[in-house]
Amino acid sequence: KEPDDYKALQAQFDDYKTMQAARTSEDFATVKPTKGFYAFKAFNLLYRMGDQVALSCDNDEICATAASGENGIGLLVSNHGDTEQTVQLKLSGVHGNLAVRLTDKTHTDEKITEITPTKDSVSVMLGLKPHSFAYVGTDLEDPVPTYA
């Protein structure tokens, strides 16, 4: 039997293959990155935080990973399912403002809001469309160019 996290990764890869099959060669002839690029950009923010953070999730269609460190905190959450999901995020150890950046069919790494916590923990409700992801965390200086 395959582990659940393997199934989740396989489902995301299958989604990626379907998305890529719909693209034309003209799409690849540009330097403008695809939406998938921004998942790697968000993961880089987590990497730059330094330390992985434990988290739990009770929804098989949602995958998440988090990190914290001297540079701040961050969480990358994705909905790899076919239906919209409402996710409640409970973050602790929060210091400073948190950006919420969304990538879905109509948004590309768009900062949809900024949270200013009044204490060291915060609860956020986030609607994620099918096959979308969001970064919630410290908005670090961008080490790579931003393509608009």
Side-chain angles (χ1 to χ4, degrees):
K1 183 178 178 195
E2 298 171 339
D4 289 338
D5 53 343
Y6 175 80
K7 289 178 184 177
L9 287 173
Q10 185 62 47
Q12 285 180 322
F13 180 69
D14 290 344
D15 291 343
Y16 174 78
K17 288 191 304 187
T18 302
M19 209 170 45
Q20 293 305 323
R23 297 179 59 100
T24 67
S25 60
E26 186 175 295
D27 293 330
F28 292 105
T30 69
V31 295
K32 186 175 180 181
T34 63
K35 289 184 184 273
F37 166 85
Y38 294 97
F40 292 104
K41 180 182 172 194
F43 189 81
N44 178 265
L45 292 172
L46 298 180
Y47 175 78
R48 291 168 52 202
M49 300 293 171
D51 298 314
Q52 183 176 359
V53 173
L55 57 82
S56 64
C57 180
D58 59 2
N59 185 328
D60 291 338
E61 294 187 352
I62 301 296
C63 290
T65 189
S68 70
E70 291 180 15
N71 292 325
I73 69 160
L75 171 84
L76 176 59
V77 58
S78 68
N79 174 8
H80 59 84
D82 293 326
T83 59
E84 185 167 339
Q85 300 289 323
T86 300
V87 180
Q88 181 175 11
L89 306 174
K90 296 178 183 177
L91 307 172
S92 60
V94 177
H95 304 287
N97 293 344
L98 302 177
V100 179
R101 295 188 163 278
L102 179 63
T103 300
D104 61 17
K105 190 173 184 175
T106 58
H107 302 85
T108 303
D109 193 39
E110 184 177 328
K111 188 177 192 177
I112 59 171
T113 192
E114 186 168 282
I115 301 165
T116 304
T118 56
K119 48 188 171 180
D120 72 343
S121 64
V122 65
S123 183
V124 179
M125 294 296 281
L126 189 62
L128 289 175
K129 293 181 182 174
H131 314 286
S132 65
F133 61 90
Y135 169 79
V136 179
T138 307
D139 213 5
L140 300 178
E141 186 176 328
D142 202 350
V144 295
T146 300
Y147 300 94

